[in-house]
Amino acid sequence: MKVNIHEVCPRDGFQSMPAFDKDTKVKIINRLVKCGFHELEVTSFVSPRAVPQLKDADEVISEIDRSQPVTLRALVPNERGLERAHALGIKKLKLMLSGSDSHSLYNANATTFDALERYRSVVKKATTYNINMTGSIAVAFGCPYEGDLPVKRHEEICDKYEQLGITKVSLADTTGMGNPHNVSKILRHLMKSFPHFTFTIHLHNTRGMAFANALAALEEGVKDFDSSTGGIGGCPYAPNASGNIATEDLVHGFEEMGIDTGVNLDRVLDVARYLEDIFPDQVDSFLLKAGKAKSLHKAPGRQRIK
Ligand code: ZN
C-alpha cells in the first residue's frame, strides 16, 4: 500500500513560531524539498498584519529550490493571495475555510458560507491562471467554540465546493479534538456521499490522538496525509492549538506497518534535528526522543548486582 505525505511545516509550523529570518526559512524549505514528499505546503499568502510570521512569503518562495519533483502548494484566503501565488508560479492552492461559523468569524470575519461565496471569484480567476484549487474544512472534527460539527455540515460544505468545481478537500483537526470514532464516522459518510472526491486529512496531536486518527482515516480509504516535520504547528485563531502530527512519527509508523510513504525518513530526521537546534521549545517528536523502533541497542548482558 502507498500513501501520500504532504509536508506543512513551512506554513503551519512557521506561522505558529515567533517570527524568524528569511534565510533560515529558505534553508529549512530547501532541505524539505529533498525528502520525497508528495506535496509541500510552502506558505500562506495571508495579510502580513494577520500573520506577521509569514510576511516575507513572497521573498522566501522566490529564493527556494524549485528543481525538485515535489508539488509546491500554498494557502490563500482571497484574490489578493491568489495574485501573489500566481506571480510566483505556484500551481496548487488551498482555500482556507472554517467548518464552524464561530471559528470562521474569528478567522475570516465571515460565516462559513459567506466565506465560501467569496471564493467563487477566486476560483474563477484561478482557472484562467491554470492553477489547481483545493478546498479545506478547518475544525472538521471538533470546534473549540461549538464542539462537534454535525456531518450534515461537512456535506453542505462539500456540496458548495463541488458547485465551485472543487473535488479535493482537506479535513483538518485544527485543535486535536478528533478521535478515531468520529474521524471514521465523518469520513465514511463523506466518502459514500462524495465518492469522486479526494479527501486529505490534516491532524494535530494536541491530545495525543493524531496517529490513532490517521489509522482510522487510512482504514476508511484516505491516502493523503498532512504532517509537519518536528511536529511544529498551530492555529492563531484557536485556543490551546498545538503541533501537527510530526512527519517523522507518521512516516515511521506507516513504514513500520509496511505502508510505503515514498519519504526518506533519515532526511526528515535531519531537518527535525536542525529545527530542534533552532527552536528547542517548539519541536515535539517521539522519534527524535526515542529513535526508530528498528534501531536496536547492543545487549548489555547479564545484570551484575553487587
Ligand atoms: Zn493545521
Side-chain angles (χ1 to χ4, degrees), residues 105-123:
L105 283 167
Y106 189 23
N107 196 11
N109 271 324
T111 63
T112 303
F113 289 102
D114 285 350
L116 260 169
E117 199 47 47
R118 291 201 303 220
Y119 283 146
R120 194 173 290 279
S121 58
V122 181
V123 174

Side-chain angles (χ1 to χ4, degrees), residues 9-138:
C9 172
R11 196 274 305 169
D12 220 320
F14 293 3
Q15 80 175 19
S16 68
M17 289 195 280
F20 61 101
D21 66 286
K22 181 197 68 178
D23 290 348
T24 306
K25 289 177 186 170
V26 172
K27 215 177 273 180
I28 295 166
I29 295 174
N30 283 352
R31 288 178 179 213
L32 290 172
V33 294
K34 296 194 182 100
C35 290
F37 298 117
H38 189 69
E39 288 184 14
L40 180 61
E41 195 165 282
V42 282
T43 197
S44 176
F45 291 107
V46 280
S47 154
R49 281 195 312 279
V51 187
Q53 292 94 327
L54 301 178
K55 68 174 192 289
D56 51 6
D58 308 66
E59 292 102 296
V60 171
I61 305 308
S62 61
E63 288 186 27
I64 58 170
D65 176 6
R66 305 280 286 266
S67 68
Q68 303 297 320
V70 53
T71 301
L72 303 183
R73 78 171 191 227
L75 243 71
V76 286
N78 50 34
E79 221 164 304
R80 168 97 191 92
L82 171 75
E83 294 297 346
R84 288 167 68 191
H86 174 56
L88 289 157
I90 302 287
K91 286 293 174 199
K92 184 153 194 178
L93 294 176
K94 188 163 95 180
L95 295 168
M96 293 159 62
L97 186 81
S98 296
S100 74
D101 284 334
S102 313
H103 189 251
S104 186
L105 283 167
Y106 189 23
N107 196 11
N109 271 324
T111 63
T112 303
F113 289 102
D114 285 350
L116 260 169
E117 199 47 47
R118 291 201 303 220
Y119 283 146
R120 194 173 290 279
S121 58
V122 181
V123 174
K124 205 170 161 197
K125 202 157 200 187
T127 314
T128 65
Y129 291 155
N130 218 4
I131 290 176
N132 188 342
M133 296 302 278
T134 64
S136 67
I137 306 178

